[in-house]
Amino acid sequence: MPTLLYKLMVNDPMSNPPTPSVAVGARKSIRPLIAPRDIYAVITSRCNLLCRHCYGRFGEPHLARGELSGDEWLAVFRQAADQNVFFVNIAGGEPTLHPDFPRIIDGLVDLDLHFILTTNGMATKACLEAIRRARTHILGLKVSLDGPTPVSHAELRVDLNGRPHPRAFDQTIRTAEYLRDHDISYTFATCLHRGNIDVVPEFEPLLLRLRPTSWFLATISPVGRAIDYYNEIFASDRRWSADYWEGLKSRLEHEGIYVRYIDMAVAQKTDGRPSPFTCPAATEFCEINSDGTVAPCPVSRVETPKHILVYENVREKSLAEIWAGPAFDQFRKWRGGGCEGCVAFESCGRCVAQSIQWWGDASKPPPYCVSKGELLGLSGLSNLKRELDHKRHELFRLSKK
């Protein structure tokens, strides 16, 4: 394993304000590692679902044009291994639909490159066997489960005709049973939505039967296809109290299932302390899309307009050149400023992608932070909340229902 040669965030002494809050124009220096610690690799944009919350609108046929072949992906991963990248996250679309998926997984093992795999769980036997062969190199395996019942899961997981997929839940459960029975550790990843928020308690017995190592829950961000359906699908974790979320986490962790809450203001605020982002985009981490585009993270690629920033392609430049190039340098500069008044500024990784997504302005705080603005001491909070409410109303108005 390579040594972390650079401290990720080095404070500029000239930028330190005399109070705990951040003065207007304050900046800190963002120092990247000499190479990514890990890479999120969207190996294909193909998908066997048209999920209503999909950030990348995967499954739409035009997105699969010009994708990297298996040979090209292995060449990219060879570059990553040569740079001592710790691991790669294999994702999609649905990654198991890449025609060379088993060979790519076998190739990662040959390169001695560890990986995380994210899947909707609708994998073929050949793909599951490739996963089993590679078990010594799997750092994490995330399986999407968006409901504890076939109906609740299919609220998001629709087929290529836009109808609730009749077999999505059963196939995902069968994959989970295969992983459990072959003693392969895995995580369930769940998005809260209107179809599952009222039946959250029903997840608990299902998790205890299927025995994942962990369970990640998150609210839905209005990115990609989720914008079209936001009015139909969005649900807040406010449906359940902070005490409920804490109790659920405590009970499952007592049974050996780690629980992580993501972008859930109620569930994450139980201790009354600020919880800064730990975003690694462009300092420890990057994304490579199925067409070879390299971006700081998936949301930054999807949400950054080309008139603001253009990302480069691994078919035209090496991964090392892109990591040290002008687009990533600009993104790091954005991460070093903004969010005036925030008491957590010095320890926060700053989610620039969400700032661009919601405001078109990299300096403003993301919605999650605005919702905790009093705790964080954000400047101009009343205006931010008013603007955020307006933008959310627009999302509901523009969504299809």
Side-chain angles (χ1 to χ4, degrees), residues 199-386:
V199 294
V200 166
E202 295 182 34
F203 277 104
E204 195 168 346
L206 182 64
L207 294 169
L208 292 174
R209 177 169 72 83
L210 295 173
R211 307 305 306 179
T213 304
S214 52
W215 185 32
F216 293 177
L217 293 89
T219 53
I220 292 174
S221 295
V223 184
R225 201 176 289 128
I227 295 173
D228 301 340
Y229 296 100
Y230 199 65
N231 189 33
E232 295 181 46
I233 64 176
F234 178 77
S236 170
D237 65 321
R238 295 182 189 281
R239 167 64 179 80
W240 300 93
S241 70
D243 287 343
Y244 172 79
W245 291 117
E246 182 61 28
L248 177 63
K249 178 181 172 72
S250 178
R251 290 191 301 275
L252 287 172
E253 292 190 346
H254 179 73
E255 296 292 333
I257 301 172
Y258 169 72
V259 178
R260 179 184 176 194
Y261 298 132
I262 303 166
D263 287 349
M264 294 169 59
V266 172
Q268 291 175 279
K269 200 165 67 172
T270 55
D271 62 2
R273 295 178 298 174
S275 54
F277 278 97
T278 54
C279 177
T283 54
E284 303 173 63
F285 163 92
C286 69
E287 183 218 41
I288 306 177
N289 191 36
S290 60
D291 65 356
T293 301
V294 184
C297 71
V299 176
S300 67
R301 174 180 54 80
V302 172
E303 292 295 328
T304 305
K306 285 186 167 53
H307 71 269
I308 292 181
L309 195 60
V310 176
Y311 296 120
E312 297 177 299
N313 195 291
V314 78
R315 280 174 167 150
E316 299 164 359
K317 289 188 176 181
S318 70
L319 183 59
E321 290 174 308
I322 295 172
W323 182 256
F328 274 60
D329 281 348
Q330 178 58 64
F331 194 88
R332 292 168 191 135
K333 288 177 183 176
W334 285 335
R335 281 192 54 189
C339 295
E340 279 77 18
C342 180
V343 298
F345 178 77
E346 293 298 336
S347 58
C348 184
R350 285 239 42 225
C351 185
V352 168
Q354 286 191 40
S355 297
I356 294 173
Q357 168 194 349
W358 280 88
W359 313 104
D361 182 346
S363 70
K364 288 187 176 181
Y368 173 78
C369 294
V370 174
S371 70
K372 301 200 304 177
E374 290 87 358
L375 187 65
L376 295 171
L378 290 173
S379 300
L381 184 59
S382 59
N383 287 336
L384 286 170
K385 286 190 172 182
R386 188 162 48 248

